[in-house]
Amino acid sequence: MAIESRPADHRAPAVPGDGGLPVLGYTAQFVSGRLTTSRARYDRYGPASWVRVFGIKAVTAQGPDACGEVLQNR
């Protein structure tokens, strides 16, 4: 009897967001501290969103529930 094994699909649902300005992205807002406290970004994308900072993609978490999910080790 053969047991069929398939790789697990561990892909998370897509996180909404945008890259910002070409090349710079949101680097200036990140350095100034305004990016992670932006109410407009929270209203547009929700508590978790991706951004481009220093040329790399990063995910931000805003609010107590999102931060709690990120910091818990389940």
Side-chain angles (χ1 to χ4, degrees):
M1 178 175 171
I3 298 175
E4 182 181 330
S5 112
R6 294 182 294 164
D9 186 5
H10 294 289
R11 289 178 289 178
V15 175
D18 68 283
L21 296 173
V23 181
L24 295 176
Y26 285 100
T27 302
Q29 291 90 334
F30 180 79
V31 171
S32 71
R34 291 185 320 225
L35 180 64
T36 56
T37 60
S38 171
R39 179 62 190 201
R41 185 161 195 88
Y42 183 90
D43 291 341
R44 183 172 183 182
Y45 297 115
S49 64
W50 72 270
V51 296
R52 188 169 307 281
V53 178
F54 300 113
I56 60 170
K57 280 186 179 178
V59 175
T60 64
Q62 296 181 26
D65 292 336
C67 291
E69 284 294 319
V70 170
L71 296 174
Q72 289 181 12
N73 184 9
R74 292 184 188 189

Short mmCIF file of all heavy atoms in Angstrom, two decimals:
data_model
loop_
_atom_site.label_atom_id
_atom_site.label_comp_id
_atom_site.label_asym_id
_atom_site.label_seq_id
_atom_site.Cartn_x
_atom_site.Cartn_y
_atom_site.Cartn_z
N MET A 1 0.84 -1.17 0.00
CA MET A 1 0.00 0.00 0.00
C MET A 1 0.89 1.24 0.00
O MET A 1 1.72 1.42 0.87
CB MET A 1 -0.90 -0.02 1.23
CG MET A 1 -1.77 1.16 1.35
SD MET A 1 -2.85 0.88 2.78
CE MET A 1 -3.55 2.46 2.86
N ALA A 2 0.71 2.09 -0.97
CA ALA A 2 1.50 3.31 -1.09
C ALA A 2 0.77 4.46 -0.40
O ALA A 2 -0.44 4.59 -0.51
CB ALA A 2 1.75 3.65 -2.54
N ILE A 3 1.52 5.24 0.29
CA ILE A 3 0.96 6.42 0.93
C ILE A 3 1.34 7.63 0.09
O ILE A 3 2.52 7.86 -0.17
CB ILE A 3 1.49 6.58 2.37
CG1 ILE A 3 1.07 5.38 3.20
CG2 ILE A 3 1.00 7.89 2.98
CD1 ILE A 3 1.63 5.39 4.59
N GLU A 4 0.35 8.34 -0.34
CA GLU A 4 0.60 9.53 -1.16
C GLU A 4 0.90 10.70 -0.26
O GLU A 4 0.19 10.97 0.69
CB GLU A 4 -0.63 9.83 -2.01
CG GLU A 4 -0.44 11.01 -2.92
CD GLU A 4 -1.69 11.29 -3.73
OE1 GLU A 4 -2.44 10.37 -4.03
OE2 GLU A 4 -1.90 12.46 -4.03
N SER A 5 1.98 11.37 -0.55
CA SER A 5 2.30 12.55 0.24
C SER A 5 2.33 13.77 -0.67
O SER A 5 2.86 13.73 -1.75
CB SER A 5 3.63 12.32 0.95
OG SER A 5 4.63 13.12 0.48
N ARG A 6 1.70 14.80 -0.20
CA ARG A 6 1.67 16.07 -0.94
C ARG A 6 2.27 17.14 -0.07
O ARG A 6 2.08 17.13 1.14
CB ARG A 6 0.22 16.45 -1.29
CG ARG A 6 -0.43 15.49 -2.26
CD ARG A 6 -1.81 15.94 -2.60
NE ARG A 6 -2.64 15.85 -1.39
CZ ARG A 6 -3.81 16.44 -1.24
NH1 ARG A 6 -4.31 17.16 -2.19
NH2 ARG A 6 -4.49 16.31 -0.14
N PRO A 7 2.99 18.07 -0.68
CA PRO A 7 3.52 19.16 0.15
C PRO A 7 2.39 20.01 0.71
O PRO A 7 1.39 20.25 0.05
CB PRO A 7 4.39 19.97 -0.82
CG PRO A 7 4.04 19.51 -2.20
CD PRO A 7 3.35 18.18 -2.07
N ALA A 8 2.57 20.42 1.92
CA ALA A 8 1.56 21.27 2.57
C ALA A 8 1.59 22.66 1.94
O ALA A 8 2.63 23.16 1.54
CB ALA A 8 1.83 21.36 4.06
N ASP A 9 0.44 23.26 1.86
CA ASP A 9 0.33 24.62 1.32
C ASP A 9 0.29 25.59 2.50
O ASP A 9 -0.74 25.77 3.12
CB ASP A 9 -0.91 24.74 0.46
CG ASP A 9 -1.01 26.09 -0.24
OD1 ASP A 9 -0.05 26.89 -0.13
OD2 ASP A 9 -2.02 26.34 -0.89
N HIS A 10 1.43 26.19 2.80
CA HIS A 10 1.53 27.08 3.95
C HIS A 10 1.47 28.55 3.56
O HIS A 10 1.85 29.41 4.33
CB HIS A 10 2.82 26.81 4.72
CG HIS A 10 2.86 25.47 5.34
ND1 HIS A 10 2.09 25.13 6.42
CD2 HIS A 10 3.55 24.36 5.03
CE1 HIS A 10 2.31 23.89 6.76
NE2 HIS A 10 3.20 23.38 5.92
N ARG A 11 1.04 28.82 2.35
CA ARG A 11 0.98 30.22 1.92
C ARG A 11 -0.11 30.96 2.68
O ARG A 11 -1.24 30.51 2.77
CB ARG A 11 0.71 30.31 0.43
CG ARG A 11 1.90 29.87 -0.40
CD ARG A 11 1.57 29.94 -1.84
NE ARG A 11 0.63 28.86 -2.11
CZ ARG A 11 0.07 28.64 -3.29
NH1 ARG A 11 0.34 29.40 -4.30
NH2 ARG A 11 -0.76 27.64 -3.45
N ALA A 12 0.25 32.09 3.20
CA ALA A 12 -0.70 32.94 3.91
C ALA A 12 -1.47 33.77 2.89
O ALA A 12 -1.01 33.97 1.77
CB ALA A 12 0.04 33.86 4.87
N PRO A 13 -2.65 34.21 3.25
CA PRO A 13 -3.38 35.09 2.33
C PRO A 13 -2.56 36.36 2.06
O PRO A 13 -1.75 36.78 2.88
CB PRO A 13 -4.67 35.42 3.06
CG PRO A 13 -4.50 34.95 4.45
CD PRO A 13 -3.35 34.01 4.49
N ALA A 14 -2.78 36.94 0.92
CA ALA A 14 -2.03 38.13 0.53
C ALA A 14 -2.29 39.28 1.51
O ALA A 14 -3.42 39.53 1.91
CB ALA A 14 -2.41 38.55 -0.87
N VAL A 15 -1.23 39.96 1.87
CA VAL A 15 -1.33 41.13 2.74
C VAL A 15 -1.46 42.36 1.84
O VAL A 15 -0.66 42.54 0.93
CB VAL A 15 -0.07 41.25 3.63
CG1 VAL A 15 -0.10 42.52 4.46
CG2 VAL A 15 0.07 40.04 4.52
N PRO A 16 -2.45 43.21 2.07
CA PRO A 16 -2.60 44.40 1.22
C PRO A 16 -1.50 45.41 1.50
O PRO A 16 -0.88 45.41 2.56
CB PRO A 16 -3.97 44.95 1.64
CG PRO A 16 -4.14 44.49 3.05
CD PRO A 16 -3.46 43.14 3.12
N GLY A 17 -1.26 46.27 0.54
CA GLY A 17 -0.26 47.32 0.73
C GLY A 17 0.18 47.92 -0.58
O GLY A 17 -0.37 47.60 -1.64
N ASP A 18 1.17 48.78 -0.52
CA ASP A 18 1.73 49.39 -1.72
C ASP A 18 3.18 49.74 -1.48
O ASP A 18 3.62 49.86 -0.34
CB ASP A 18 0.93 50.61 -2.15
CG ASP A 18 1.06 51.76 -1.19
OD1 ASP A 18 0.42 51.70 -0.12
OD2 ASP A 18 1.79 52.70 -1.51
N GLY A 19 3.92 49.93 -2.58
CA GLY A 19 5.36 50.18 -2.49
C GLY A 19 5.75 51.62 -2.32
O GLY A 19 6.91 51.92 -2.08
N GLY A 20 4.82 52.55 -2.48
CA GLY A 20 5.17 53.96 -2.34
C GLY A 20 5.90 54.50 -3.55
O GLY A 20 5.71 54.02 -4.66
N LEU A 21 6.74 55.48 -3.33
CA LEU A 21 7.49 56.11 -4.41
C LEU A 21 8.49 55.15 -5.05
O LEU A 21 9.04 54.29 -4.36
CB LEU A 21 8.25 57.33 -3.87
CG LEU A 21 7.41 58.47 -3.33
CD1 LEU A 21 8.31 59.51 -2.67
CD2 LEU A 21 6.60 59.10 -4.44
N PRO A 22 8.75 55.32 -6.35
CA PRO A 22 9.78 54.49 -6.97
C PRO A 22 11.13 54.68 -6.27
O PRO A 22 11.47 55.78 -5.85
CB PRO A 22 9.85 55.01 -8.41
CG PRO A 22 8.55 55.71 -8.64
CD PRO A 22 8.13 56.24 -7.29
N VAL A 23 11.85 53.63 -6.09
CA VAL A 23 13.16 53.57 -5.45
C VAL A 23 13.10 53.86 -3.95
O VAL A 23 13.52 53.06 -3.15
CB VAL A 23 14.21 54.49 -6.14
CG1 VAL A 23 15.56 54.37 -5.45
CG2 VAL A 23 14.33 54.18 -7.61
N LEU A 24 12.55 55.00 -3.55
CA LEU A 24 12.51 55.37 -2.13
C LEU A 24 11.46 54.64 -1.32
O LEU A 24 11.64 54.40 -0.13
CB LEU A 24 12.28 56.88 -1.99
CG LEU A 24 13.38 57.79 -2.51
CD1 LEU A 24 12.97 59.24 -2.38
CD2 LEU A 24 14.68 57.52 -1.79
N GLY A 25 10.34 54.30 -1.95
CA GLY A 25 9.26 53.68 -1.20
C GLY A 25 8.76 54.59 -0.09
O GLY A 25 8.52 55.77 -0.29
N TYR A 26 8.67 54.05 1.11
CA TYR A 26 8.23 54.81 2.27
C TYR A 26 9.37 55.03 3.27
O TYR A 26 9.14 55.17 4.46
CB TYR A 26 7.07 54.09 2.96
CG TYR A 26 5.77 54.20 2.22
CD1 TYR A 26 5.31 53.16 1.42
CD2 TYR A 26 5.00 55.35 2.31
CE1 TYR A 26 4.12 53.27 0.73
CE2 TYR A 26 3.81 55.46 1.62
CZ TYR A 26 3.37 54.42 0.84
OH TYR A 26 2.19 54.53 0.16
N THR A 27 10.60 55.06 2.78
CA THR A 27 11.76 55.19 3.66
C THR A 27 11.69 56.46 4.52
O THR A 27 11.93 56.40 5.73
CB THR A 27 13.07 55.16 2.84
OG1 THR A 27 13.10 53.92 2.12
CG2 THR A 27 14.27 55.27 3.73
N ALA A 28 11.36 57.59 3.94
CA ALA A 28 11.32 58.85 4.70
C ALA A 28 10.26 58.80 5.81
O ALA A 28 10.53 59.22 6.94
CB ALA A 28 11.04 60.03 3.77
N GLN A 29 9.09 58.27 5.51
CA GLN A 29 8.04 58.16 6.53
C GLN A 29 8.43 57.18 7.63
O GLN A 29 8.13 57.37 8.80
CB GLN A 29 6.71 57.72 5.91
CG GLN A 29 6.09 58.77 5.03
CD GLN A 29 6.56 58.63 3.58
OE1 GLN A 29 7.62 58.11 3.28
NE2 GLN A 29 5.74 59.10 2.66
N PHE A 30 9.13 56.11 7.25
CA PHE A 30 9.56 55.12 8.23
C PHE A 30 10.58 55.73 9.19
O PHE A 30 10.48 55.57 10.41
CB PHE A 30 10.17 53.90 7.52
CG PHE A 30 10.63 52.83 8.44
CD1 PHE A 30 9.73 51.95 9.01
CD2 PHE A 30 11.98 52.71 8.75
CE1 PHE A 30 10.17 50.96 9.87
CE2 PHE A 30 12.41 51.72 9.61
CZ PHE A 30 11.51 50.85 10.17
N VAL A 31 11.56 56.43 8.64
CA VAL A 31 12.60 57.04 9.47
C VAL A 31 12.01 58.09 10.41
O VAL A 31 12.41 58.19 11.58
CB VAL A 31 13.71 57.66 8.58
CG1 VAL A 31 14.68 58.49 9.39
CG2 VAL A 31 14.44 56.55 7.84
N SER A 32 11.03 58.85 9.93
CA SER A 32 10.43 59.89 10.77
C SER A 32 9.46 59.32 11.81
O SER A 32 9.05 60.02 12.72
CB SER A 32 9.69 60.91 9.90
OG SER A 32 8.52 60.33 9.35
N GLY A 33 9.06 58.05 11.67
CA GLY A 33 8.13 57.44 12.62
C GLY A 33 6.67 57.60 12.25
O GLY A 33 5.79 57.13 12.95
N ARG A 34 6.38 58.28 11.13
CA ARG A 34 4.99 58.51 10.74
C ARG A 34 4.34 57.30 10.07
O ARG A 34 3.13 57.19 10.06
CB ARG A 34 4.90 59.70 9.79
CG ARG A 34 5.20 61.02 10.44
CD ARG A 34 4.98 62.14 9.47
NE ARG A 34 5.46 61.75 8.15
CZ ARG A 34 6.18 62.50 7.36
NH1 ARG A 34 6.49 63.70 7.73
NH2 ARG A 34 6.57 62.07 6.20
N LEU A 35 5.13 56.42 9.50
CA LEU A 35 4.56 55.30 8.75
C LEU A 35 3.75 54.36 9.64
O LEU A 35 2.64 54.00 9.31
CB LEU A 35 5.67 54.52 8.04
CG LEU A 35 5.20 53.33 7.21
CD1 LEU A 35 4.33 53.79 6.06
CD2 LEU A 35 6.39 52.54 6.70
N THR A 36 4.30 53.97 10.75
CA THR A 36 3.63 52.99 11.60
C THR A 36 2.55 53.60 12.48
O THR A 36 1.87 52.87 13.20
CB THR A 36 4.65 52.25 12.49
OG1 THR A 36 5.39 53.20 13.24
CG2 THR A 36 5.60 51.43 11.63
N THR A 37 2.38 54.91 12.44
CA THR A 37 1.31 55.55 13.22
C THR A 37 0.28 56.22 12.32
O THR A 37 -0.52 57.02 12.79
CB THR A 37 1.90 56.59 14.19
OG1 THR A 37 2.60 57.58 13.44
CG2 THR A 37 2.84 55.95 15.19
N SER A 38 0.29 55.89 11.05
CA SER A 38 -0.60 56.55 10.09
C SER A 38 -2.02 55.99 10.16
O SER A 38 -2.26 54.83 9.86
CB SER A 38 -0.04 56.37 8.68
OG SER A 38 -0.98 56.80 7.73
N ARG A 39 -2.94 56.80 10.57
CA ARG A 39 -4.35 56.40 10.63
C ARG A 39 -4.90 56.16 9.23
O ARG A 39 -5.72 55.27 9.01
CB ARG A 39 -5.18 57.46 11.37
CG ARG A 39 -6.64 57.16 11.47
CD ARG A 39 -6.86 55.90 12.26
NE ARG A 39 -8.24 55.48 12.15
CZ ARG A 39 -8.83 54.69 13.01
NH1 ARG A 39 -8.19 54.23 14.05
NH2 ARG A 39 -10.08 54.35 12.84
N ALA A 40 -4.47 56.98 8.26
CA ALA A 40 -4.94 56.82 6.88
C ALA A 40 -4.54 55.45 6.33
O ALA A 40 -5.32 54.79 5.64
CB ALA A 40 -4.37 57.92 6.00
N ARG A 41 -3.33 54.99 6.64
CA ARG A 41 -2.88 53.67 6.18
C ARG A 41 -3.71 52.56 6.84
O ARG A 41 -4.09 51.60 6.21
CB ARG A 41 -1.39 53.49 6.49
CG ARG A 41 -0.85 52.21 5.94
CD ARG A 41 0.66 52.24 5.84
NE ARG A 41 1.08 51.16 4.99
CZ ARG A 41 1.18 51.24 3.68
NH1 ARG A 41 0.96 52.35 3.07
NH2 ARG A 41 1.53 50.20 2.97
N TYR A 42 -4.00 52.72 8.12
CA TYR A 42 -4.83 51.75 8.82
C TYR A 42 -6.23 51.70 8.21
O TYR A 42 -6.78 50.63 7.99
CB TYR A 42 -4.91 52.11 10.31
CG TYR A 42 -5.69 51.12 11.14
CD1 TYR A 42 -5.05 50.05 11.72
CD2 TYR A 42 -7.06 51.27 11.33
CE1 TYR A 42 -5.76 49.12 12.49
CE2 TYR A 42 -7.77 50.36 12.08
CZ TYR A 42 -7.12 49.28 12.66
OH TYR A 42 -7.83 48.38 13.40
N ASP A 43 -6.80 52.86 7.93
CA ASP A 43 -8.14 52.92 7.33
C ASP A 43 -8.16 52.30 5.94
O ASP A 43 -9.14 51.68 5.55
CB ASP A 43 -8.65 54.36 7.26
CG ASP A 43 -8.95 54.94 8.63
OD1 ASP A 43 -9.11 54.16 9.59
OD2 ASP A 43 -9.01 56.18 8.73
N ARG A 44 -7.09 52.47 5.19
CA ARG A 44 -7.05 51.97 3.81
C ARG A 44 -6.78 50.47 3.74
O ARG A 44 -7.40 49.75 2.97
CB ARG A 44 -5.99 52.73 3.02
CG ARG A 44 -5.92 52.32 1.58
CD ARG A 44 -5.00 53.24 0.80
NE ARG A 44 -5.02 52.87 -0.60
CZ ARG A 44 -4.29 53.44 -1.52
NH1 ARG A 44 -3.49 54.43 -1.20
NH2 ARG A 44 -4.35 53.04 -2.76
N TYR A 45 -5.81 49.98 4.53
CA TYR A 45 -5.36 48.59 4.41
C TYR A 45 -5.71 47.69 5.60
O TYR A 45 -5.57 46.48 5.52
CB TYR A 45 -3.85 48.54 4.19
CG TYR A 45 -3.41 49.19 2.92
CD1 TYR A 45 -2.62 50.32 2.94
CD2 TYR A 45 -3.79 48.69 1.68
CE1 TYR A 45 -2.20 50.93 1.77
CE2 TYR A 45 -3.39 49.28 0.51
CZ TYR A 45 -2.59 50.40 0.55
OH TYR A 45 -2.19 51.00 -0.60
N GLY A 46 -6.09 48.28 6.72
CA GLY A 46 -6.36 47.47 7.90
C GLY A 46 -5.15 47.38 8.81
O GLY A 46 -4.17 48.09 8.63
N PRO A 47 -5.20 46.49 9.80
CA PRO A 47 -4.14 46.44 10.81
C PRO A 47 -2.80 45.89 10.33
O PRO A 47 -1.78 46.12 10.95
CB PRO A 47 -4.73 45.55 11.90
CG PRO A 47 -5.75 44.72 11.20
CD PRO A 47 -6.29 45.57 10.09
N ALA A 48 -2.77 45.18 9.22
CA ALA A 48 -1.51 44.65 8.67
C ALA A 48 -1.40 45.04 7.20
O ALA A 48 -2.36 44.89 6.45
CB ALA A 48 -1.46 43.14 8.82
N SER A 49 -0.25 45.57 6.80
CA SER A 49 -0.04 45.95 5.42
C SER A 49 1.45 45.86 5.09
O SER A 49 2.29 45.92 5.98
CB SER A 49 -0.57 47.35 5.14
OG SER A 49 0.14 48.31 5.89
N TRP A 50 1.77 45.75 3.81
CA TRP A 50 3.17 45.73 3.40
C TRP A 50 3.56 47.07 2.82
O TRP A 50 2.74 47.79 2.30
CB TRP A 50 3.46 44.60 2.41
CG TRP A 50 2.92 44.80 1.03
CD1 TRP A 50 1.69 44.40 0.59
CD2 TRP A 50 3.55 45.44 -0.06
NE1 TRP A 50 1.53 44.77 -0.72
CE2 TRP A 50 2.66 45.40 -1.15
CE3 TRP A 50 4.79 46.06 -0.25
CZ2 TRP A 50 2.97 45.95 -2.39
CZ3 TRP A 50 5.08 46.61 -1.49
CH2 TRP A 50 4.18 46.54 -2.54
N VAL A 51 4.84 47.39 2.95
CA VAL A 51 5.42 48.62 2.44
C VAL A 51 6.82 48.30 1.91
O VAL A 51 7.39 47.27 2.23
CB VAL A 51 5.54 49.72 3.52
CG1 VAL A 51 4.20 50.16 4.03
CG2 VAL A 51 6.41 49.28 4.67
N ARG A 52 7.36 49.21 1.10
CA ARG A 52 8.75 49.08 0.68
C ARG A 52 9.55 50.15 1.42
O ARG A 52 9.27 51.33 1.33
CB ARG A 52 8.88 49.27 -0.83
CG ARG A 52 10.27 48.96 -1.32
CD ARG A 52 10.37 48.89 -2.82
NE ARG A 52 9.43 48.00 -3.46
CZ ARG A 52 9.55 46.65 -3.53
NH1 ARG A 52 10.58 46.07 -2.98
NH2 ARG A 52 8.65 45.92 -4.15
N VAL A 53 10.54 49.69 2.20
CA VAL A 53 11.38 50.56 3.01
C VAL A 53 12.83 50.12 2.81
O VAL A 53 13.13 48.93 2.91
CB VAL A 53 11.00 50.46 4.51
CG1 VAL A 53 11.89 51.32 5.36
CG2 VAL A 53 9.55 50.81 4.73
N PHE A 54 13.72 51.07 2.55
CA PHE A 54 15.13 50.76 2.32
C PHE A 54 15.31 49.72 1.20
O PHE A 54 16.22 48.91 1.24
CB PHE A 54 15.82 50.27 3.60
CG PHE A 54 15.81 51.27 4.71
CD1 PHE A 54 15.09 51.02 5.86
CD2 PHE A 54 16.50 52.46 4.61
CE1 PHE A 54 15.07 51.93 6.89
CE2 PHE A 54 16.49 53.38 5.64
CZ PHE A 54 15.77 53.12 6.79
N GLY A 55 14.40 49.71 0.23
CA GLY A 55 14.50 48.80 -0.90
C GLY A 55 14.00 47.38 -0.66
O GLY A 55 14.15 46.52 -1.52
N ILE A 56 13.43 47.10 0.51
CA ILE A 56 12.90 45.76 0.78
C ILE A 56 11.43 45.86 1.17
O ILE A 56 10.97 46.90 1.62
CB ILE A 56 13.68 45.05 1.91
CG1 ILE A 56 13.60 45.84 3.22
CG2 ILE A 56 15.12 44.80 1.52
CD1 ILE A 56 14.13 45.11 4.41
N LYS A 57 10.71 44.76 1.00
CA LYS A 57 9.32 44.72 1.44
C LYS A 57 9.28 44.38 2.93
O LYS A 57 10.00 43.51 3.40
CB LYS A 57 8.54 43.65 0.69
CG LYS A 57 8.10 44.08 -0.67
CD LYS A 57 7.20 43.01 -1.27
CE LYS A 57 6.73 43.43 -2.64
NZ LYS A 57 5.90 42.38 -3.26
N ALA A 58 8.44 45.10 3.65
CA ALA A 58 8.26 44.87 5.08
C ALA A 58 6.77 44.88 5.38
O ALA A 58 6.00 45.53 4.69
CB ALA A 58 8.98 45.95 5.88
N VAL A 59 6.38 44.18 6.41
CA VAL A 59 4.98 44.15 6.84
C VAL A 59 4.87 44.93 8.14
O VAL A 59 5.67 44.76 9.05
CB VAL A 59 4.49 42.70 7.04
CG1 VAL A 59 3.07 42.67 7.59
CG2 VAL A 59 4.55 41.94 5.73
N THR A 60 3.88 45.82 8.19
CA THR A 60 3.64 46.60 9.41
C THR A 60 2.39 46.08 10.10
O THR A 60 1.47 45.59 9.46
CB THR A 60 3.45 48.10 9.10
OG1 THR A 60 2.27 48.28 8.32
CG2 THR A 60 4.64 48.66 8.36
N ALA A 61 2.38 46.16 11.42
CA ALA A 61 1.23 45.77 12.21
C ALA A 61 0.85 46.96 13.08
O ALA A 61 1.70 47.50 13.79
CB ALA A 61 1.55 44.56 13.09
N GLN A 62 -0.41 47.38 13.00
CA GLN A 62 -0.87 48.53 13.76
C GLN A 62 -2.03 48.12 14.66
O GLN A 62 -2.91 47.39 14.24
CB GLN A 62 -1.33 49.63 12.82
CG GLN A 62 -0.24 50.19 11.95
CD GLN A 62 -0.75 51.30 11.05
OE1 GLN A 62 -1.72 51.96 11.37
NE2 GLN A 62 -0.09 51.51 9.94
N GLY A 63 -2.01 48.61 15.86
CA GLY A 63 -3.09 48.33 16.80
C GLY A 63 -2.74 47.19 17.73
O GLY A 63 -1.86 46.37 17.44
N PRO A 64 -3.41 47.12 18.87
CA PRO A 64 -3.07 46.13 19.88
C PRO A 64 -3.30 44.69 19.43
O PRO A 64 -2.51 43.80 19.75
CB PRO A 64 -3.96 46.50 21.07
CG PRO A 64 -5.04 47.34 20.51
CD PRO A 64 -4.48 48.01 19.31
N ASP A 65 -4.36 44.43 18.69
CA ASP A 65 -4.64 43.05 18.26
C ASP A 65 -3.60 42.56 17.28
O ASP A 65 -3.09 41.44 17.39
CB ASP A 65 -6.03 42.96 17.63
CG ASP A 65 -7.14 43.18 18.66
OD1 ASP A 65 -6.88 42.95 19.86
OD2 ASP A 65 -8.24 43.57 18.25
N ALA A 66 -3.25 43.38 16.28
CA ALA A 66 -2.26 42.98 15.29
C ALA A 66 -0.88 42.81 15.94
O ALA A 66 -0.18 41.84 15.65
CB ALA A 66 -2.19 44.02 14.17
N CYS A 67 -0.51 43.72 16.81
CA CYS A 67 0.78 43.61 17.48
C CYS A 67 0.83 42.37 18.38
O CYS A 67 1.85 41.68 18.45
CB CYS A 67 1.08 44.86 18.29
SG CYS A 67 1.39 46.29 17.25
N GLY A 68 -0.25 42.07 19.04
CA GLY A 68 -0.32 40.87 19.87
C GLY A 68 -0.15 39.61 19.06
O GLY A 68 0.54 38.68 19.47
N GLU A 69 -0.77 39.54 17.88
CA GLU A 69 -0.61 38.38 17.00
C GLU A 69 0.83 38.21 16.57
O GLU A 69 1.34 37.10 16.50
CB GLU A 69 -1.51 38.50 15.78
CG GLU A 69 -2.97 38.23 16.04
CD GLU A 69 -3.22 36.78 16.43
OE1 GLU A 69 -2.61 35.86 15.83
OE2 GLU A 69 -4.02 36.56 17.35
N VAL A 70 1.48 39.31 16.24
CA VAL A 70 2.87 39.25 15.78
C VAL A 70 3.80 38.79 16.91
O VAL A 70 4.72 38.00 16.69
CB VAL A 70 3.31 40.63 15.24
CG1 VAL A 70 4.81 40.66 14.97
CG2 VAL A 70 2.55 40.97 13.97
N LEU A 71 3.57 39.27 18.11
CA LEU A 71 4.49 39.00 19.21
C LEU A 71 4.27 37.67 19.92
O LEU A 71 5.14 37.23 20.66
CB LEU A 71 4.41 40.15 20.22
CG LEU A 71 4.87 41.50 19.69
CD1 LEU A 71 4.61 42.59 20.71
CD2 LEU A 71 6.34 41.46 19.31
N GLN A 72 3.13 37.01 19.70
CA GLN A 72 2.88 35.72 20.34
C GLN A 72 3.58 34.61 19.58
O GLN A 72 3.64 34.62 18.36
CB GLN A 72 1.38 35.45 20.39
CG GLN A 72 0.66 36.31 21.35
CD GLN A 72 -0.83 36.00 21.39
OE1 GLN A 72 -1.28 35.01 20.85
NE2 GLN A 72 -1.59 36.88 22.02
N ASN A 73 4.09 33.66 20.29
CA ASN A 73 4.75 32.51 19.69
C ASN A 73 3.85 31.29 19.87
O ASN A 73 3.91 30.61 20.89
CB ASN A 73 6.11 32.29 20.33
CG ASN A 73 6.88 31.19 19.67
OD1 ASN A 73 6.48 30.67 18.63
ND2 ASN A 73 7.98 30.81 20.28
N ARG A 74 3.02 31.04 18.88
CA ARG A 74 2.09 29.92 18.99
C ARG A 74 2.64 28.71 18.33
O ARG A 74 2.77 28.40 17.29
CB ARG A 74 0.73 30.28 18.40
CG ARG A 74 0.05 31.32 19.22
CD ARG A 74 -1.32 31.59 18.68
NE ARG A 74 -1.86 32.74 19.39
CZ ARG A 74 -3.11 33.11 19.27
NH1 ARG A 74 -3.93 32.49 18.50
NH2 ARG A 74 -3.54 34.16 19.94
#
